[in-house]
Amino acid sequence: MTRELLFIGGSGAISAACVRHAIALGDHVTVVNRGRSQLRPLPPETEVLTADIREPESVRAVLGDREFDSVVDFFAFLPEHVETDADLFGGRTGQYVFISSASAYQTPPQQLPVTEDTPLDNPFWEYSRDKIACEQRVAELSTSRGDLPYTIVRPSHTYDETSIPFDGGWTVVDRMRRGLPVVVHGDGTSLWTITHTDDFAVGFVGLLGHPGALGQAIHITNSAPVTWDHIYRSIAAAAGVSDPELVHIASETLARMEPEWGPRLVGDVSHSMIFDNSRVSALVPAFAPNISYAEGARQIVAWYDAHPDQQEIDPAVNDTVDAMVAWARR
């Protein structure tokens, strides 16, 4: 039976992979977005409607009175966004899916692996606190309205071929290729869970319309964490660099030196994160992540080499990294 799915977004790293996988399974997918990004082409079977979720009347105009088995909003970041969704989709879907974040979990975690029962508490990163507030609002609205059955999904660090995993982006890869040192937070040995979008999509699409997912919060991540040194060295190897110079500096120090990097560093990536995926695996037996980061890194570098227009070199990042390296050497 063909499911009717509505995705608000559809052009991001996670959402585009989910659209592709759902269509491959035979679902009918309607995507609503502003039509501004062509970075990730969608399958021709995708129904694409142009509207802006921040302008609810434009969404109402393109959807009319249509109903959907599942509605997923990839662009809800504040409680008021959730409230708009409830007004738009309450009573017209069997499942509203809010995309939260695994960064909402207790940071630093007091116990590993992290499960869905781990407390939500991130004092370092406003983005994560906003997601926590959204989750609370989803539950409140579902109870008060009675017409918004929901599922909360918490992705961790999820990437596709366009996603360079560290601050500085392609500038850092370019530095490696030119034999220049790059900075890694901490001592490079903290464990990090990084998940390919194609693996994520299997678990996510399997939750859509699943009665066991209703009223649940579920994270979907890889189950094989790697060190940050491994992540940097995998990118370097894919870029043809056999022995990159990695300079290790404490995360708190980097946060003081470059405040823009601070919240994500101190509030997320500097802490080892390992997840127990028992809940999603029980609901979606097909979920079995198998794309290694070494393979993912090869996809990333190959994509950027094929798209030189996306190889942005930021002089400010070079200056920042040079200053950090000089400080570490002193």
Side-chain angles (χ1 to χ4, degrees):
M1 183 175 178
T2 300
R3 297 180 297 183
E4 289 290 334
L5 307 179
L6 173 63
F7 287 1
I8 306 301
S11 61
I14 294 178
S15 58
C18 293
V19 170
R20 294 194 300 267
H21 187 65
I23 286 177
L25 293 179
D27 296 318
H28 181 261
V29 181
T30 302
V31 167
V32 172
N33 60 37
R34 294 174 297 177
R36 296 181 182 178
S37 175
Q38 304 301 320
L39 191 64
R40 302 173 182 88
L42 297 176
E45 300 92 337
T46 311
E47 179 187 9
V48 181
L49 303 176
T50 302
D52 187 343
I53 191 62
R54 301 293 176 256
E55 299 175 4
E57 291 308 315
S58 71
V59 178
R60 285 194 176 92
V62 297
L63 292 181
D65 59 359
R66 292 173 59 182
E67 297 183 356
F68 300 89
D69 295 301
S70 298
V71 172
V72 186
D73 189 349
F74 289 93
F75 276 92
F77 303 103
L78 298 171
E80 50 262 42
H81 299 162
V82 172
E83 292 164 2
T84 296
D85 285 347
D87 289 339
L88 283 171
F89 307 121
R92 69 158 83 189
T93 182
Q95 180 191 40
Y96 167 70
V97 183
F98 171 68
I99 305 298
S100 185
S101 169
S103 69
Y105 286 122
Q106 184 181 62
T107 305
Q110 298 303 301
Q111 185 174 341
L112 294 173
V114 169
T115 73
E116 284 85 355
D117 295 325
T118 297
L120 303 183
D121 179 26
N122 190 326
F124 306 102
W125 199 4
E126 184 177 8
Y127 166 82
S128 306
R129 294 193 296 275
D130 287 340
K131 287 291 189 179
I132 294 170
C134 286
E135 288 197 25
Q136 295 169 343
R137 193 65 181 130
V138 169
E140 292 168 356
L141 287 168
S142 180
T143 299
S144 64
R145 294 176 58 102
D147 64 354
L148 194 71
Y150 72 90
T151 299
I152 292 168
V153 172
R154 298 172 183 148
S156 185
H157 188 159
T158 310
Y159 72 98
D160 70 357
E161 66 274 10
T162 72
S163 311
I164 297 173
F166 31 70
D167 289 313
W170 184 258
T171 304
V172 176
V173 184
D174 177 70
R175 289 180 67 89
M176 291 178 177
R177 279 184 162 169
R178 291 191 291 129
L180 298 175
V182 299
V183 171
V184 181
H185 63 271
D187 63 2
T189 63
S190 60
L191 291 174
W192 189 243
T193 298
I194 186 164
T195 309
H196 196 288
T197 52
D198 288 347
D199 283 333
F200 176 92
V202 174
F204 182 80
V205 175
L207 295 176
L208 300 183
H210 196 309
L214 296 179
Q216 298 289 317
I218 304 167
H219 56 236
I220 304 174
T221 77
N222 203 319
S223 297
V226 295
T227 68
W228 274 101
D229 271 5
H230 176 80
I231 291 172
Y232 276 80
R233 292 186 184 279
S234 294
I235 291 286
V241 180
S242 60
D243 189 23
E245 184 179 354
L246 306 182
V247 177
H248 298 99
I249 301 176
S251 298
E252 291 82 358
T253 302
L254 294 177
R256 287 195 298 269
M257 299 178 77
E258 180 46 77
E260 287 189 7
W261 297 0
R264 180 171 176 267
L265 273 173
V266 180
D268 196 21
V269 301
S270 64
H271 307 284
S272 288
M273 292 299 287
I274 304 170
F275 297 90
D276 179 342
N277 284 288
S278 298
R279 186 171 293 182
V280 65
S281 296
L283 293 171
V284 188
F287 176 68
N290 59 14
I291 301 174
S292 70
Y293 193 71
E295 169 58 27
R298 288 190 287 271
Q299 292 180 15
I300 291 169
V301 174
W303 187 87
Y304 275 89
D305 282 344
H307 296 81
D309 59 306
Q310 297 295 320
Q311 297 179 10
E312 297 181 5
I313 308 299
D314 188 339
V317 170
N318 272 321
D319 291 344
T320 295
V321 175
D322 285 339
M324 291 173 172
V325 170
W327 179 89
R329 288 175 173 170
R330 287 198 300 272

